[in-house]
Amino acid sequence: MNESRRLVNQILSIIIQNRPLSTPHRLPSQPIPIHTVSEVLRSIPRLLFPSTRSIGRQTTSRRRTPLRQRNLADESTKLRSNFLLLGPAAHRDQQQVDLGLDSAIEFFFWVESQFCFAHNEMTCRDMALVFARGNRLIPLWEFLREMAKRDNGADLVTTSTITCLIKVLGEEGLVNEALNLFYRMNKYHCKPDVYAYNTMITALCRVGNFKKARFLLQQMELPGFMCPPDTFTYTILISSYCKHGMQTGCKKAIRRRLWEANHMFRLMRFNGFVPDVVTYNALIDGCCKTYRIERALELFKDMNKRGCSPNRVTYNSFIRYYSAVNEIDKAVEMLRKMKHLRHGTPTSSSFTPIIHALCEGGMVEQARDFLVEMFDGGSVPREFTYKLVRDKLRSLEKPDLLDGNLCQKIESAVENRYQQVVKVKPVMIREKLFLQEEL
């Protein structure tokens, strides 16, 4: 395993330093393992494609505004004209992206010619994902066409490969291109399955194209269709309706999307599907965030009635709502109920809204009690929450309510968590420095 990791680092070092693979270096003469080739291809986008603003940050799909369909031609024009570019490709170093794409292509065919390496589905999928994450679509179509023409093309380009590409293209905001690839699956001798349909529906919902997503769902609902929908298909639409409505910030859009989410929930029940806890949580969270507490409580009762046990996510939605509307007693009641019924263990996400609401209401001593209870339960409070309670007690001239030993333990736990996060977040920076020093 160490030898394989050393070989991967050595090849990545050559790629990052922009050195040709054909130059003499300490590469092995024996065939390279498949997992080594796959690891190199997967590492190239992580090391060379992220923007300068994302280095050291955790990958996440959360966005401040809804994702929109991108126009690559318009983006190229803006880059040439030095205009402001927003979206997933903002602040990317195009030279690094071009270097990564060229190096990936060179490496893919180099191992094939140099070591007689036989590519399989995994390595072809990883190479195709490099094209997708680099937003190079024409080379991607040419690569898929070339792989499909090979003697074992049916084993190289599979439904799983196309589904992964649809997922990545959807994350990159290239949903129309993902939809074209979805409809061209027959060209690569692939048939879409329910997972491919769910992935395509998720990508369409990301950019707010609910009309097309509903059309795909209606196709799946046809009698005798080869890919009937499942519970997750409806859950995707219900969750997307709630999230997209909140992201727009428009009251009319929020009201419309929430109505559609409830309608989809009833349609799901009508078609004989049993909602699971994820479906209930998505709809309850949407109702709580739009202050429709009556509907949220109705869904909560329906969960218990149908034997679907709520979890911590369910209770946290109610706790955040009651804390936001200053009904702290009901928020505490939900917290106690979760512990009493053993539907989950409260964490910092459960205690934090209550503590903040108590501090805003001037009940600092009760906030201090919940802070101590949270820490005794094994959850480390957020630094802002701890400082808020501490500063409020000092302003009331009651700093003794927080014991010195307790403060030291909390501060030590916060510092330890910070150090652990620091070890994880700047992983790309440390990898680049390590790889550059490898040779």
Side-chain angles (χ1 to χ4, degrees), residues 153-344:
D155 298 328
L156 297 178
V157 183
T158 62
T159 302
S160 175
T161 301
I162 302 299
T163 303
C164 291
L165 284 172
I166 292 172
K167 180 177 182 294
V168 172
L169 290 173
E171 293 173 352
E172 293 290 329
L174 303 171
V175 179
N176 291 340
E177 291 77 5
L179 189 62
N180 292 335
L181 179 61
F182 177 77
Y183 283 128
R184 277 194 284 179
M185 290 183 70
N186 291 332
K187 184 178 180 180
Y188 304 112
H189 310 290
C190 302
K191 292 183 179 180
D193 53 9
V194 64
Y195 183 64
Y197 270 93
N198 289 344
T199 306
M200 191 66 249
I201 290 174
T202 303
L204 290 167
C205 292
R206 278 178 177 269
V207 296
N209 193 350
F210 293 104
K211 183 177 180 181
K212 191 65 179 178
R214 284 291 303 271
F215 174 76
L216 291 179
L217 175 63
Q218 291 170 1
Q219 274 189 335
M220 299 174 73
E221 290 175 338
L222 292 175
F225 192 70
M226 58 181 180
C227 300
D230 55 7
T231 303
F232 189 59
T233 311
Y234 292 95
T235 304
I236 292 170
L237 284 163
I238 292 172
S239 177
S240 299
Y241 279 133
C242 296
K243 290 180 180 179
H244 195 272
M246 291 299 299
Q247 287 175 339
T248 57
C250 174
K251 291 184 178 180
K252 184 177 180 180
I254 293 173
R255 185 167 58 251
R256 172 67 180 175
R257 297 305 180 194
L258 196 62
W259 180 89
E260 290 175 336
N262 282 281
H263 176 72
M264 184 61 60
F265 182 80
R266 295 185 178 94
L267 180 65
M268 174 184 181
R269 296 272 297 274
F270 177 78
N271 290 336
F273 292 94
V274 180
D276 56 9
V277 65
V278 180
T279 310
Y280 277 108
N281 287 345
L283 195 53
I284 287 175
D285 186 62
C287 292
C288 288
K289 287 181 177 178
T290 54
Y291 301 99
R292 289 164 172 80
I293 190 61
E294 294 83 5
R295 175 60 178 164
L297 290 172
E298 179 184 343
L299 292 168
F300 185 71
K301 293 179 182 178
D302 188 63
M303 284 183 73
N304 296 311
K305 180 180 177 181
R306 297 184 179 276
C308 181
S309 299
N311 56 17
R312 185 177 66 245
V313 178
T314 317
Y315 286 94
N316 284 352
S317 298
F318 288 103
I319 290 173
R320 284 193 297 268
Y321 167 79
Y322 286 126
S323 299
V325 299
N326 203 25
E327 296 184 11
I328 306 175
D329 294 340
K330 293 184 178 180
V332 175
E333 181 183 351
M334 278 290 177
L335 181 68
R336 302 304 182 201
K337 186 176 182 180
M338 173 173 55
K339 294 182 64 176
H340 176 70
L341 297 178
R342 296 182 180 180
H343 286 159

Side-chain angles (χ1 to χ4, degrees), residues 40-50 126 129-130 133:
V40 170
L41 293 173
R42 286 199 303 264
S43 300
I44 288 176
R46 188 177 70 250
L47 294 173
L48 299 175
F49 290 1
D126 293 333
L129 292 178
V130 173
R133 296 190 188 280

Side-chain angles (χ1 to χ4, degrees), residues 13 15 33 37 49 72 81 93 99 116 121 130 141 164 189 194 222 250 254 297 305 327 337 358 360 375 379 417 435:
S13 300
I15 292 175
V37 177
F49 290 1
L72 294 181
S81 305
D93 189 344
L99 171 62
C116 297
E121 178 192 358
V130 173
W141 310 143
C164 291
H189 310 290
V194 64
L222 292 175
C250 174
I254 293 173
L297 290 172
K305 180 180 177 181
E327 296 184 11
K337 186 176 182 180
L358 289 170
E360 291 177 3
F375 186 73
S379 299
R417 181 176 60 188
L435 293 173

